[in-house]
Amino acid sequence: MNVNLPFANERVAVVSITKHGIALAGRVVAAIPGARLFAPEKFRAEAEAAAPGAASCYTGKTGDQIPALFAGFDGIVAIVSLGAVVRLIAPHLKDKEQDPGIVVLDEGGRYAIPMLSGHLGGANALAGVLAAALGAQPVLTTASDARETLAVDLLGRELGWTFDASHDEIVRASAAVVNDEPVALVQEAGSRDWWARHANGRSGPLPANLKRFERLEDVDPERFGAVLWISDRELPAGWAERLAGRRVIYRPPQEAA
């Protein structure tokens, strides 16, 4: 059973390199059934006791395991110091569309820190799961999560929506949202409860700088820093130019006939 993660539990690796960390790793694996524990060979007995049937032990350096962990898992929980994780993963980073979501846990299980791919990679969501399971404090540093506003690149993900936008358009729209610029949000299709089901949880009202519209044709793009368009139709003639560089298009799945 998946525990509200954007990837299967079996795609989560838990890495620990100390005896006390391995005990905490066992609690993580218990909270995310299907996750797998990775630990040094010298701690095999502790690892197998902490995560029966879900422990893998390696010889050699932890850094040598990173390529296989990046290739085999979408989420990584590292019970290792933050600085050490930075040094371990630095040579292997590509981009946020490909890198796994990585969360660092301290050995006391007090803080869950998403340090890589917080949004698209799912690290923020993974930190939320760990916080609930362990009683930890999630340390979210992405602006949209810190301010509990809209995360442009996650809108509708739980509902199966996809989005069409360039990297620069996502950056521009995200900046407009978090900097309180006027943003047009046009919904012509899809479920209307996307805010309540938004990634990482949003319980307050829609941000005041988002103005809702029912039809794209009702929007004057020049008045807005970005236009978020939720629709199942193609852009009307002339609108590609009017929205150039400032639009994100969301496509809800087609309803069954």
Side-chain angles (χ1 to χ4, degrees):
M1 180 180 65
N2 195 45
V3 286
N4 297 320
L5 291 172
F7 35 74
N9 293 4
E10 292 76 12
R11 301 287 297 179
V12 177
V14 186
V15 181
S16 183
I17 58 176
T18 67
K19 188 178 297 186
H20 293 296
I22 288 170
L24 177 60
R27 294 172 60 195
V28 174
V29 172
I32 307 176
R36 191 153 196 90
L37 167 60
F38 290 83
E41 177 63 34
K42 65 180 179 180
F43 294 128
R44 176 175 289 277
E46 290 84 355
E48 291 180 346
S56 296
C57 296
Y58 57 86
T59 57
K61 298 179 180 180
T62 300
D64 294 338
Q65 315 308 312
I66 301 301
L69 291 171
F70 269 42
F73 296 91
D74 296 319
I76 298 174
V77 180
I79 307 175
V80 184
S81 75
L82 182 62
V85 176
V86 170
R87 296 181 185 279
L88 287 170
I89 68 173
H92 308 285
L93 300 181
K94 295 179 181 178
D95 56 59
K96 65 180 183 180
E97 282 79 23
Q98 300 181 64
D99 295 332
I102 298 181
V103 176
V104 172
L105 271 178
D106 67 290
E107 282 196 3
R110 292 167 295 184
Y111 302 103
I113 309 170
M115 65 158 297
L116 184 69
S117 298
H119 279 171
L120 290 181
N124 287 359
L126 180 54
V129 168
L130 296 174
L134 305 176
Q137 174 66 47
V139 182
L140 305 182
T141 58
T142 44
S144 61
D145 294 298
R147 298 188 60 236
E148 294 195 350
T149 190
L150 176 69
V152 170
D153 52 357
L154 296 184
L155 174 56
R157 183 172 69 179
E158 294 91 340
L159 298 167
W161 298 5
T162 58
F163 68 81
D164 172 17
S166 68
H167 173 76
D168 289 345
E169 287 169 330
I170 288 291
V171 169
R172 178 170 178 172
S174 297
V177 170
V178 301
N179 289 320
D180 296 326
E181 297 178 33
V183 173
L185 194 151
V186 187
Q187 183 164 10
E188 300 177 348
S191 172
R192 297 278 171 170
D193 67 349
W194 54 266
W195 179 248
R197 299 179 62 182
H198 187 51
N200 304 310
R202 298 289 188 259
S203 57
L206 198 67
N209 63 314
L210 269 64
K211 181 173 176 56
R212 303 191 76 153
F213 293 88
E214 298 293 329
R215 296 174 67 254
L216 183 63
E217 287 82 355
D218 296 333
V219 177
D220 177 2
E222 298 303 317
R223 294 178 50 220
F224 297 95
V227 176
L228 311 180
W229 186 43
I230 307 164
S231 184
D232 53 12
R233 63 184 175 117
E234 296 301 314
L235 277 170
W239 278 81
E241 293 76 14
R242 297 184 68 188
L243 298 177
R246 71 176 69 194
R247 98 292 188 276
V248 181
I249 301 174
Y250 300 90
R251 299 300 191 191
Q254 296 290 326
E255 295 183 1

